Amino acid sequence: AGGNEEGSGDHQLSNPRDVIVDKERDSLIISDNSNERVVQWPRRNGTSGETIISNINCVGLTMDENGSLYVVDFGKGEVRRYKKGESQGTVVAGGNGDGNRFDQLYGPTYVFVDRDHSVYVSDCGNHRVMKWMKGTKEGIIVAGGQGEGNGLTQLSSPLGVVVDQLSTVYVTDCGNARIMRWPKGATQGSVIVGGKGEGGQSNQLNGLIGLSFDRYGNLYVVDYRNHRVQKFNIEFNG
């Protein structure tokens, strides 16, 4: 997708921030941030994309098993869910202006949706990860929320977020150059990767953004300022 220099044409992208595969439509769905649009692009032999959502300061996006698309709007401080064929969508997290109340977000970035359709969003400006259960009007803090810092109860500019089937939250703690794991109901997390300061060594990270697990439990991290993707084998205890 893209590859035609930066621009706003149907065959171009500008500062894409996230991408997922829509297997049903055999296409890519791309958060085309600087063009303020979400684009659907054929997965095979595609020469141009189709704008499916316009006028959105989009960062992270994800899809549930029903084919509903969830998109983070950084500027409006909200996450919207778009069911198939919808162009307006429904606010499922935030949407009450910037702030740190439980019904607000401030500079949200990335999003994860679990099997119960609970929405987890990295609330970057509030240095916390919030969980919004389906149909609720406010969220609960599941990581951070104790102000910006590097303690085990704190986060600094969290970005990528992944949640496992036990509701354990894994989050890239960008400002602290570490990845943290927060078990369900925990008041503090543990450092599973990094935490050795920003740098380019194999045990260091610098400007980490997204993260993903494969089926074998290997963790992949976008180590942005080191211009690399790192793979870690995470030891699970118990």
Side-chain angles (χ1 to χ4, degrees):
N4 298 299
E5 298 185 348
E6 184 178 2
S8 59
D10 288 345
H11 65 304
Q12 294 174 307
L13 299 169
S14 180
N15 192 22
R17 297 293 296 273
D18 206 357
V19 59
I20 56 174
V21 176
D22 182 350
K23 292 178 182 170
E24 188 178 322
R25 297 179 185 85
D26 198 28
S27 62
L28 304 173
I29 298 178
I30 303 162
S31 170
D32 189 12
N33 178 268
S34 292
N35 286 320
E36 296 201 333
R37 66 187 180 186
V38 177
V39 180
Q40 186 170 317
W41 200 290
R43 196 151 63 130
R44 303 175 209 284
N45 306 321
T47 56
S48 66
E50 173 192 359
T51 299
I52 56 175
I53 303 169
S54 301
N55 303 315
I56 182 168
N57 186 354
C58 47
V59 185
L61 45 80
T62 191
M63 184 176 276
D64 67 21
E65 78 282 2
N66 299 324
S68 293
L69 182 65
Y70 298 74
V71 185
V72 176
D73 188 327
F74 181 88
K76 291 182 178 174
E78 64 188 25
V79 181
R80 282 185 176 263
R81 180 188 67 224
Y82 298 84
K83 293 183 177 176
K84 286 181 186 173
E86 283 185 346
S87 59
Q88 293 303 314
T90 303
V91 176
V92 292
N96 295 300
D98 288 340
N100 62 3
R101 298 194 315 251
F102 290 133
D103 67 342
Q104 294 177 306
L105 300 168
Y106 181 42
T109 50
Y110 290 90
V111 62
F112 183 91
V113 176
D114 69 13
R115 292 177 297 182
D116 299 322
H117 299 135
S118 293
V119 174
Y120 295 79
V121 54
S122 45
D123 190 9
C124 186
N126 285 322
H127 311 291
R128 65 189 185 183
V129 177
M130 299 293 287
K131 176 184 180 180
W132 291 60
M133 294 168 77
K134 188 177 182 181
T136 55
K137 297 297 183 192
E138 58 180 43
I140 58 172
I141 299 171
V142 291
Q146 301 295 319
E148 183 178 12
N150 61 4
L152 293 180
T153 64
Q154 295 175 303
L155 297 169
S156 175
S157 301
L159 295 176
V161 59
V162 173
V163 183
D164 70 15
Q165 294 177 353
L166 300 174
S167 298
T168 304
V169 175
Y170 299 82
V171 57
T172 60
D173 188 10
C174 182
N176 289 318
R178 66 189 184 183
I179 294 173
M180 296 196 73
R181 174 168 61 203
W182 294 66
K184 184 177 182 180
T187 55
Q188 68 176 43
S190 58
V191 179
I192 59 170
V193 170
K196 308 275 196 286
E198 293 184 345
Q201 303 296 323
S202 60
N203 65 346
Q204 288 181 305
L205 302 160
N206 191 353
L208 63 170
I209 302 182
L211 75 168
S212 181
F213 282 99
D214 66 17
R215 67 182 67 183
Y216 306 109
N218 296 305
L219 176 65
Y220 298 82
V221 183
V222 177
D223 193 5
Y224 177 73
R225 290 197 200 97
N226 284 324
H227 312 290
R228 65 189 181 186
V229 175
Q230 291 217 68
K231 173 183 175 183
F232 300 95
N233 184 261
I234 304 300
E235 298 293 330
F236 292 96
N237 297 319

